[in-house]
Amino acid sequence: MQKDFKYTKESQVVISELMLPSHSNFNGKIHGGYILSLLDQIAFACASKHSGAYCVTASVDTVDFLKPIEIGELVTMKASVNYVGRSSMVIGIRVEAENIQSGAKKHCNSSYFTMVAKDEKGNSLSVPGLILNNDDQVRRFAKSIKRKNMKTKRIQEFHETDFSSEKYLHILKDHKAKIELDS
């Protein structure tokens, strides 16, 4: 039987993985695509744990690569449910890398994945609400609402019907764009 509400800690997931040379890019740093794959996996695990159902990635709202990850570092990802809607969940993920020899840790990445719970037929499922029991959890929930509202506004702006170039000239003036319109 599914609970109506769950504590954040009930769905938290932590994974650690040693970064190998096979995970690196041409610059000798860990490839961002590899980290994105791990982020998607932990977001799935966290959302599925919260919902008790199969979950799909609806969107990757933010991925901020803050510091490079080196070969040989131990990467730890911490995921928790920051927000829930009817069938969707925003999973916040913090990525830290640790130099195993020195013990030095660095915050390398923060990400927000929107996941949706699905049934066997692919229909969206209702998910339990969140019990927020500290200031950080309240802040994360509120920030998720702000990000959701900003995303809705951004989508509305992109669906405008007036795309005449004159409307956007003021936006371009301070950027590296040379305008040569055909007459």
Side-chain angles (χ1 to χ4, degrees):
M1 182 175 151
Q2 187 183 56
K3 296 180 180 180
D4 289 337
F5 290 86
K6 283 184 165 182
Y7 288 98
T8 302
K9 65 183 177 189
E10 293 180 73
S11 305
Q12 289 175 328
V13 177
V14 178
I15 61 170
S16 293
E17 184 172 330
L18 183 65
M19 294 296 104
L20 303 173
S22 61
H23 304 141
S24 67
N25 59 24
F26 294 110
N27 198 29
K29 309 295 182 196
I30 300 306
H31 196 285
Y34 183 72
I35 297 301
L36 285 170
S37 174
L38 293 176
L39 289 168
D40 194 49
Q41 290 175 43
I42 194 170
F44 169 83
C46 184
S48 295
K49 194 172 177 182
H50 181 79
S51 66
Y54 178 77
C55 294
V56 297
T57 305
S59 69
V60 180
D61 301 322
T62 306
V63 179
D64 294 322
F65 292 99
L66 305 172
K67 294 184 178 151
I69 299 171
E70 307 292 335
I71 295 169
E73 289 184 324
L74 182 66
V75 168
T76 300
M77 296 186 176
K78 301 171 185 176
S80 63
V81 180
N82 287 0
Y83 169 86
V84 294
R86 190 192 70 73
S87 62
S88 66
M89 297 152 280
V90 173
I91 310 301
I93 309 165
R94 180 180 173 93
V95 179
E96 295 176 346
E98 178 182 358
N99 180 310
I100 296 175
Q101 294 167 330
S102 71
K105 293 182 183 178
K106 59 187 175 185
H107 178 204
C108 297
N109 186 303
S110 292
S111 304
Y112 301 96
F113 280 57
T114 300
M115 308 295 288
V116 177
K118 298 285 187 175
D119 66 14
E120 309 80 38
K121 296 178 183 174
N123 300 313
S124 297
L125 284 175
S126 184
V127 299
L130 274 181
I131 300 169
L132 308 173
N133 60 353
N134 65 46
D135 286 341
D136 279 341
Q137 292 171 3
V138 172
R139 178 182 51 78
R140 288 178 183 136
F141 198 96
K143 281 190 166 189
S144 292
I145 292 170
K146 284 186 81 166
R147 270 192 306 280
K148 182 179 178 193
N149 292 342
M150 287 170 35
K151 183 177 181 182
T152 299
K153 184 179 176 185
R154 188 173 65 244
I155 289 169
Q156 289 169 347
E157 287 178 3
F158 269 67
H159 285 88
E160 291 177 358
T161 55
D162 179 12
F163 280 107
S164 59
S165 60
E166 294 82 28
K167 184 176 180 178
Y168 296 100
L169 289 177
H170 71 282
I171 296 171
L172 304 176
K173 69 178 182 173
D174 294 329
H175 297 275
K176 282 187 139 182
K178 182 177 180 182
I179 301 167
E180 295 180 354
L181 299 175
D182 294 331
S183 297

